[in-house]
């Protein structure tokens, strides 16, 4: 949304605080949410040019507890709990922005920042709902980020997204099935 004074350069108003957490109204409780906060999920899928393969994570509901998460695709194995927890926390707590690359979150603007071919894409599935965000490293070493419901192309510090730099092996646990 923007306004223009005397038909000169537009003045944009946008929430640039970051990508909001995947949540519901504070009084909502269900299979995936407790008091509005996401507390459960079916799976998280990550892919992108920075990863050698697409990975699918689920919560470990098994008898043996060698970690909180398992990888179900491309092969079954335990996931590195710390690596996946950081990714899960990005959905439950949101991602803080440090600025904005563009106030226009259009296909043309996304292409300008390389988001048409992102380094990292994460999607979480919770029942019938999903949330996705895409990330691309920029020349200034920060990340451009777009996500569901975000009206801007957000600028994010690498410190806020350490998992974007992880290799596939960083998501694997040392324990095998």
């Amino acid at each position: 949304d923007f306004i223009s004074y005397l038909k000169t350069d537009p003045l944009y108003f946008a929430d640039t605080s970051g990508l909001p957490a995947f949540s519901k109204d504070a009084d909502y409780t269900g299979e995936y949410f407790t008091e509005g906060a996401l507390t459960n999920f079916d799976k998280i899928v990550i892919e992108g040019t920075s990863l050698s393969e697409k990975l699918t994570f689920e919560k470990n509901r098994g008898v043996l507890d060698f970690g909180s998460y398992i990888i179900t695709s491309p092969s079954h194995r335990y996931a590195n709990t710390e690596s996946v927890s950081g990714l899960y926390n990005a959905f439950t707590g949101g991602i803080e922005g440090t600025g904005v690359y563009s106030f226009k979150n259009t296909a043309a603007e996304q292409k300008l920042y390389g988001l048409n071919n992102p380094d990292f894409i994460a999607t979480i599935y919770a029942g019938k709902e999903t949330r996705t965000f895409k990330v691309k490293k920029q020349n200034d070493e920060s990340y451009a980020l777009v996500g569901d419901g975000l009206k801007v192309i957000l600028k994010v510090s690498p410190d806020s997204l350490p998992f974007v730099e992880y290799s596939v092996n960083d998501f694997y646990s040392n324990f095998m099935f």
Side-chain angles (χ1 to χ4, degrees), residues 25-172:
D25 291 332
D27 60 347
Y28 180 84
T29 296
E31 181 180 358
Y32 297 95
F33 297 88
T34 302
E35 296 179 355
L38 181 68
T39 55
N40 195 10
F41 65 92
D42 295 315
K43 65 183 176 180
I44 298 174
V45 177
I46 61 170
E47 58 189 311
T49 61
S50 68
L51 297 168
S52 60
E53 59 190 359
K54 182 178 183 176
L55 296 176
T56 301
F57 305 101
E58 294 180 14
K59 283 192 172 181
N60 181 7
R61 293 174 175 87
V63 176
L64 299 175
D65 187 14
F66 291 112
S68 299
Y69 307 99
I70 57 172
I71 297 170
T72 58
S73 178
S75 62
H76 279 70
R77 63 185 302 162
Y78 289 102
N80 179 315
T81 297
E82 186 177 314
S83 297
V84 180
S85 291
L87 179 60
Y88 177 61
N89 291 341
F91 285 106
T92 60
I95 300 170
E96 186 177 336
T98 58
V100 171
Y101 282 112
S102 177
F103 287 98
K104 298 176 187 176
N105 186 355
T106 63
E109 288 292 302
Q110 287 186 25
K111 186 175 182 180
L112 182 67
Y113 292 97
L115 290 160
N116 60 323
N117 190 28
D119 296 330
F120 192 88
I121 304 168
T123 303
I124 192 167
Y125 297 81
K128 295 180 180 178
E129 297 188 58
T130 63
R131 294 292 186 276
T132 299
F133 64 86
K134 300 186 296 185
V135 178
K136 183 73 172 184
K137 192 168 204 168
Q138 301 300 301
N139 290 335
D140 64 2
E141 299 300 313
S142 290
Y143 293 111
L145 180 142
V146 293
D148 292 339
L150 200 57
K151 294 183 178 184
V152 299
I153 297 177
L154 199 61
K155 181 177 184 176
V156 179
S157 165
D159 296 339
S160 296
L161 302 170
F163 49 82
V164 171
E165 296 290 329
Y166 294 168
S167 72
V168 167
N169 289 335
D170 293 324
F171 287 102
Y172 291 156

